[in-house]
Amino acid sequence: MRTGKFIFAIIALAMLFTNAFAAKSKKSASEKSKITKISIPNARPAEKLVFDETHVNAAIENGDCAYLYAFAQSENPDSELLMKANNAIKFYTGKSAFLSQFHTDKMDAKVRRVPKEITEGVFKNPKEFLPQLVTFLANGTQTDFSKVKIFHDWICDNIAYDAEMYFSGRIFAQDYESVIKKRKAVCSGYTACINAMCSLSGIKSKTISGFSKDYGFSGKIGKYPDHDWNAVKINGHWYLLDVTWDAGFLDYKTFIKRYSTQYLFWDARTFLYSHLAQKDSEQFFAPVLSKEQFENEPKIEGKFFQKGLSLGDDKLHFSNEISGEFKVKIKTNGNFFVTNELLDKQGFVQGAAWAKRKGGTIMLCYDVPDGADYQGGIYVQDTSPFPFVISIPEFEGKWIPSVEKILAEKKITQKEKEHFENAYFKVDENRRYYLADDQFAATRNTALAKIAKLVENGVVHSEAVLTFNVKSAADYSGFGQGQLKYPRRHITYNNATNTELLAPLVGKLKSGTKQKFEIRSGNFTNFAFIIKDEWHFFEKNASSGNFEIEFEIPSDEETLLLYASSNGKNYGSLLEWDLEKL
């Protein structure tokens, strides 16, 4: 089961490749199908494979790209069969823009319109009533993709992860009937439910067992498979989905329901960043990924790809040793909140991460203060206008008093206050309050959005979409414990999607020296330092369009704060430097 790696806070932060076997139009059929021979990292020995029409056609039918790739590498393969094999490989190693319509994180409202008699009946007698449920859900759907999506949604909405069973180590009764009666499952139970519903709808599906970058993953997978997910066959091809992970996540030992489509109908390469099938034939990819390659790659959540992000190079690993500033290049097709942080066991390490954005490329920079172990993270904006999780001290010390205050000021109604109080539940051992996830509680969610806007005033909530480990190499002692490598980023800076400090990119400035500051921004019109009530404004460079100031660093201050405004009236703190006396 997936762990909760979501970060939602009011703080100062906030495909690798696609194998294509394209041919040029003027080439012969044989030339079109030719693939350059390279080593196969995890391939089955060629001498154990039989390459003939029957086996090639079976491999195409089964999506067995490992076999097809081995066939393509064999000596003198039949040209017609080779073309068919290459086309199949090209399909599975490519991407389909068509499938993005299912990656909206929006649950089909029809799952809540199931007739009462079917709903009550299916939880008492699944064998009798599941056919009726499937018929109702599938009625009116246009494609098999839509059918699988609505089955996926119903399971996510009605079946909770059985955390107690998972942690007991005794897994039993995971057939679909037992699961639906209990309304709880571990991964094998979720896959059984999808298989049962697809079978009743005439869609071929199967369970895939394998390894995952899941609960407790530390860079090594175990000897035996630890997770199950599904493949469904639609229009002659296999597509992957993981209903377990889309139903929610484990935060410590508590299952937190949170619907998503992060793991629904993704291409095989995307799935391989978090799921590795035990059988090469069920990777639906070629050349197959070895266990060592799987362990070596960073942990990437489905939402990373859902947001249109991709890795800009292959330099990032799950475990990284650095001898100075470490850069991670990512590419984006959207102008939205993307930031990064370095974490230790206590939380975020101030001034240890920075982001540089230029067009569709973001360069994320990290450094470590010493030789300890750290985690690097990449974060994107959460789509919800209100927080999903709030720490107990913050909820009880800030939110509850603030809600009481805005009620007294008649900015909200008593009913809206009750919606807020009933929306969150407390988990003492986690030291957190969680939102009771429900996309269809429209009135409640409107009230929550209103309250969050009044209490937080536009704070962006974020969640981790990529994580990796980082530590200093033996020849590097870090930039210094207690020091800042980069300026501290405040909320206003992290919320800005089109603002970048160009200079100085250091965390500490020397008092009494002159320093040129330069910042590029499409979010703000005014920048200033405020020293003892004296304002020092930046000027806009007519040539570059950047905001600049030549400024003498004060000698009687400990820190220097930069403020920004989008209207020339209301200013928010943007960045902060430590000051060092000469």
Side-chain angles (χ1 to χ4, degrees), residues 33-274:
S33 303
K34 188 175 181 180
I35 301 177
T36 302
K37 293 178 185 271
I38 62 173
S39 60
I40 307 171
N42 197 28
R44 294 161 289 186
E47 64 271 17
K48 294 184 179 180
L49 299 176
V50 177
F51 297 127
D52 59 22
E53 184 175 4
T54 300
H55 286 84
V56 170
N57 287 335
I60 293 171
E61 180 73 16
N62 295 327
D64 186 352
C65 292
Y67 173 93
L68 296 174
Y69 189 81
F71 167 69
Q73 299 292 303
S74 65
E75 293 295 329
N76 301 315
D78 178 84
S79 60
E80 291 187 10
L81 288 178
L82 183 57
M83 182 181 294
K84 291 172 65 177
N86 286 350
N87 287 338
I89 293 171
K90 182 179 179 180
F91 176 87
Y92 282 108
T93 55
K95 296 178 184 293
S96 173
F98 164 79
L99 296 176
S100 62
Q101 65 183 293
F102 300 104
H103 301 150
T104 62
D105 288 339
K106 300 294 184 183
M107 186 179 289
D108 194 313
K110 196 174 183 181
V111 301
R112 294 287 182 87
R113 297 200 296 266
V114 179
K116 183 178 179 181
E117 61 271 20
I118 295 179
T119 296
E120 291 178 349
V122 78
F123 293 123
K124 293 178 182 178
N125 189 345
K127 190 172 184 178
E128 179 181 344
F129 283 90
L130 189 63
Q132 297 179 45
L133 174 65
V134 167
T135 298
F136 175 82
L137 293 174
N139 185 38
T141 57
Q142 300 299 310
T143 67
D144 284 349
F145 288 108
S146 299
K147 290 178 184 178
V148 175
K149 164 72 162 54
I150 201 168
F151 300 157
H152 161 281
D153 292 0
W154 186 88
I155 295 168
C156 287
D157 198 40
N158 288 280
I159 308 299
Y161 189 79
D162 198 335
E164 183 180 354
M165 179 179 287
Y166 173 80
F167 286 108
S168 75
R170 295 182 63 251
I171 309 301
F172 59 93
Q174 293 302 297
D175 60 283
Y176 84 88
E177 291 183 67
S178 299
V179 164
I180 294 176
K181 284 180 180 179
K182 190 179 181 181
R183 301 189 69 169
K184 283 187 176 183
V186 294
C187 58
S188 55
Y190 279 97
T191 64
C193 289
I194 276 288
N195 288 337
M197 297 178 84
C198 284
S199 177
L200 288 168
S201 191
I203 299 171
K204 191 172 183 178
S205 70
K206 63 179 178 178
T207 294
I208 296 178
S209 293
F211 307 90
S212 67
K213 291 176 181 173
D214 190 9
Y215 191 85
F217 179 73
S218 59
K220 294 291 181 182
I221 57 177
K223 185 177 180 180
Y224 303 103
D226 57 52
H227 189 48
D228 290 344
W229 57 96
N230 291 95
V232 293
K233 194 171 189 180
I234 300 175
N235 298 335
H237 295 99
W238 291 92
Y239 297 85
L240 298 164
L241 65 153
D242 189 336
V243 189
T244 312
W245 285 17
D246 276 350
F249 59 93
L250 283 176
D251 202 347
Y252 297 98
K253 293 190 175 183
T254 303
F255 171 66
I256 307 300
K257 179 183 176 182
R258 196 183 196 205
Y259 171 82
S260 80
T261 52
Q262 287 195 67
Y263 300 95
L264 177 66
F265 302 146
W266 279 111
D267 62 275
R269 186 61 184 94
T270 295
F271 240 73
L272 280 167
Y273 282 105
S274 54

Side-chain angles (χ1 to χ4, degrees), residues 26 85 98 140 160 230 243 307 333 377 399 414 443 474 499 523 536 541 581:
K26 294 184 179 180
F98 164 79
N230 291 95
V243 189
K307 284 283 189 177
N333 57 15
W399 281 85
Q414 178 63 34
T443 302
T499 296
N523 304 108
H536 303 266
N541 186 307
K581 299 200 179 290

Side-chain angles (χ1 to χ4, degrees), residues 392-533:
I392 290 177
E394 186 179 354
F395 189 89
E396 297 178 352
K398 172 188 173 181
W399 281 85
I400 291 178
S402 296
V403 171
E404 293 285 358
K405 180 183 177 184
I406 58 179
L407 175 65
E409 294 170 347
K410 296 184 179 180
K411 294 180 179 178
I412 62 171
T413 65
Q414 178 63 34
K415 188 64 177 176
E416 288 172 328
K417 175 177 178 286
E418 291 172 4
H419 280 309
F420 170 79
E421 292 172 338
N422 296 330
Y424 290 89
F425 62 94
K426 184 178 182 180
V427 180
D428 286 307
E429 57 266 36
N430 293 3
R431 300 177 60 195
R432 294 171 182 171
Y433 279 86
Y434 299 90
L435 178 72
D437 188 41
D438 189 348
Q439 293 190 0
F440 305 116
T443 302
R444 183 204 73 171
N445 293 342
T446 299
L448 293 181
K450 179 180 178 180
I451 290 170
K453 187 174 183 179
L454 291 168
V455 173
E456 295 187 314
N457 192 25
V459 170
V460 170
H461 302 280
S462 61
E463 55 186 300
V465 295
L466 187 154
T467 54
F468 57 91
N469 294 333
V470 60
K471 66 181 299 182
S472 62
D475 61 348
Y476 182 56
S477 58
F479 63 80
Q481 186 61 252
Q483 304 293 315
L484 297 180
K485 173 76 175 187
Y486 310 102
R488 293 187 185 91
R489 296 174 294 186
H490 288 205
I491 292 172
T492 309
Y493 187 86
N494 281 315
N495 287 4
T497 59
N498 190 22
T499 296
E500 182 181 359
L501 174 72
L502 302 177
L505 291 178
V506 295
K508 181 173 285 190
L509 302 170
K510 289 186 178 182
S511 300
T513 63
K514 276 198 171 183
Q515 177 71 54
K516 181 181 179 180
F517 293 82
E518 184 176 6
I519 193 164
R520 174 190 61 77
S521 181
N523 304 108
F524 306 106
T525 57
N526 300 81
F527 296 87
F529 294 122
I530 307 173
I531 310 296
K532 293 183 172 57
D533 296 328

Side-chain angles (χ1 to χ4, degrees), residues 295-299 314-320 326 467-469:
E295 292 171 334
N296 194 40
E297 292 184 341
K299 182 177 181 181
D314 59 356
K315 296 178 181 178
L316 180 62
H317 305 298
F318 183 80
S319 298
N320 305 271
F326 180 59
T467 54
F468 57 91
N469 294 333

